[in-house]
Amino acid sequence: MSLASKSPEPRPGIMDIAAYVPGKEHAPGVAKVHKLSSNETPLGASPKAIEAFQAMAFNLERYPDGQARALREAIGAVHGLNPANIMCGNGSDELLGLLCHAYLGPGDEGIITEHGFLVYKIQILAAGATPVTVKEKDARVDVDAILAAVTERTKVVFLANPANPTGTYIPVDEVRRLHAGLPEGVLLVLDAAYAEYVRRNDYAAGLELVSASRNVVMTRTFSKIYGLAGLRIGWMYAPPEVIDAVDRVRGPFNLSAPSIAAGAAAIRDQAFVATAVDHNLTWLARVSEALSAIGLRITPSVTNFVLIHFPDEDGKRAEEADDFLTRRGYILRAVRSYGFPNALRMTIGSAEANEGVIAALTEFMGRK
């Protein structure tokens, strides 16, 4: 075979990775669509964030601040953190990938849980390492199962708390127990993408554990409660050594100037966040109770979404419910790839969207 006829080949293992598939967005032939598949807030972004974003339109010829100082300082001010221990990224997804890039390689293992965020596995494989999946108990992380899976090859443990797509969480004491059982050389990554929604006295996002440790990182996002998913802003709080290591593989301008400005304004507008929390608490309870009342099993959630389990009966399964809802303009998320072949994940949306799903599923469950 001549060299001219041979195409470039990715390194071994790359083509074995199943690409991430986002929630669907379209319902062909439907006049009005309610997208409830990606856990986006129905309240949009803070007006202050929008104003800050628009103000940057007159300086687009300039490179952004490569250190995102204004954003890091705003995050630090709101959470009482040293900005030097904060790194911002193009969504928390980028930061998760950079952590794998910096701490994993061939021969290493990264531990994930049975229903964990699919990006963890993708990034572990992309780094050339081996993902090790441990079972959960009743759609909740099992600390003992994680600790039992640790070997001398384990380098990173990923813990989504609260978890996606289940909406469940483990208490801070269990997180501390997990950390105490890990070797000092293992990095514990706490993914707290939905932390702002949680209202439980025994929950903590991980800030204190990071501050007191050398091997714990917490990641957060502006894509959920802050309504800035389109700008792709994430951040992590980490020990100085981790910040230094990841900074060496981070792109020099990984956040745009409008993103930095909008993010800083959004996180300072905590009154807007409080409104979003109140909306979610009201409708999370309403949706969970209404769907339970019509015979659907709901995994108890502390986030802005619910996992809906359908009967294993002809005409009542999740796939059929998905088609039924889509034809009426309600787009939920199929979660077969997360290990739930007969369930759908529903984002808590606007009052109109939530009531519409309740009515549609009531009709669906009443069919013969």
Side-chain angles (χ1 to χ4, degrees):
M1 179 184 295
S2 68
L3 291 177
S5 65
K6 186 173 177 62
S7 300
E9 294 183 2
R11 63 177 173 80
I14 292 296
M15 299 310 295
D16 296 328
I17 299 174
Y20 182 82
V21 179
K24 64 183 181 181
E25 298 185 47
H26 305 291
V30 179
K32 184 172 184 178
V33 174
H34 296 278
K35 183 188 174 196
L36 305 172
S37 59
S38 298
N39 299 340
E40 299 155 337
T41 172
L43 274 60
S46 159
K48 295 179 181 179
I50 295 171
E51 182 181 359
F53 175 85
Q54 291 172 333
M56 297 306 297
F58 302 100
N59 296 283
L60 298 182
E61 77 283 5
R62 298 185 181 277
Y63 280 100
D65 173 12
Q67 297 299 316
R69 290 178 180 85
L71 180 53
R72 288 167 46 232
E73 289 171 1
I75 294 169
V78 169
H79 289 284
L81 306 174
N82 183 353
N85 294 99
I86 296 170
M87 177 178 287
C88 298
N90 184 27
S92 56
D93 289 354
E94 182 196 24
L95 297 170
L96 296 170
L98 290 173
L99 287 165
C100 288
H101 191 31
Y103 287 95
L104 290 172
D108 296 333
E109 295 176 349
I111 293 178
I112 57 180
T113 63
E114 181 181 9
H115 305 300
F117 188 31
L118 296 177
V119 166
Y120 307 151
K121 182 177 182 179
I122 290 172
Q123 295 295 356
I124 292 169
L125 290 168
T130 301
V132 175
T133 303
V134 301
K135 288 286 187 181
E136 298 184 7
K137 282 186 178 179
D138 299 322
R140 286 174 173 78
V141 168
D142 183 344
V143 168
D144 291 320
I146 293 175
L147 293 175
V150 174
T151 71
E152 61 182 13
R153 294 184 176 182
T154 305
K155 295 296 185 292
V156 180
V157 172
F158 287 98
L159 175 65
N161 198 34
N164 172 27
T166 61
T168 60
Y169 77 103
I170 60 172
V172 62
D173 287 348
E174 280 292 274
V175 178
R176 292 189 184 121
R177 186 168 72 86
L178 170 61
H179 175 248
L182 294 175
E184 293 181 355
V186 174
L187 184 67
L188 174 60
V189 180
L190 304 176
D191 181 355
Y194 298 92
E196 290 86 356
Y197 287 107
V198 186
R199 293 296 180 269
R200 295 289 191 277
N201 292 333
D202 60 350
Y203 173 80
L207 297 175
E208 295 81 4
L209 192 57
V210 174
S211 296
S213 311
R214 298 180 62 186
N215 65 332
V216 184
V217 171
M218 182 207 67
T219 63
R220 301 281 276 270
T221 182
F222 282 77
S223 295
K224 305 306 177 186
I225 205 165
Y226 290 104
L228 298 178
L231 291 184
R232 312 305 303 125
I233 310 170
W235 62 281
M236 75 175 181
Y237 179 53
E241 300 90 344
V242 176
I243 294 290
D244 181 50
V246 176
D247 202 35
R248 295 167 188 265
V249 295
R250 178 181 65 88
F253 302 107
N254 61 330
L255 255 70
S256 71
S259 294
I260 293 170
I267 199 166
R268 291 185 187 278
D269 191 357
Q270 287 297 305
F272 186 84
V273 173
T275 300
V277 170
D278 289 344
H279 174 90
N280 189 71
L281 287 173
T282 298
W283 282 103
L284 179 65
R286 161 76 176 134
V287 168
S288 298
E289 292 168 4
L291 297 185
S292 296
I294 61 172
L296 295 169
R297 183 169 65 86
I298 306 297
T299 297
S301 173
V302 296
T303 62
N304 70 329
F305 59 85
V306 290
L307 187 64
I308 309 167
H309 303 268
F310 289 82
D312 188 15
E313 303 172 13
D314 290 344
K316 299 290 181 65
R317 296 186 178 90
E319 185 175 359
E320 294 156 318
D322 195 17
D323 290 339
F324 185 87
L325 290 166
T326 299
R327 290 196 301 271
R328 287 154 180 77
Y330 302 104
I331 301 179
L332 276 60
R333 178 68 186 266
V335 285
R336 178 179 294 275
S337 58
Y338 282 97
F340 295 105
N342 198 27
L344 297 175
R345 189 191 68 193
M346 173 189 169
T347 305
I348 299 300
S350 65
E352 179 186 0
N354 298 332
E355 291 288 12
V357 171
I358 292 170
L361 285 178
T362 299
E363 180 184 352
F364 173 79
M365 289 297 291
R367 292 191 309 170
K368 300 297 184 182

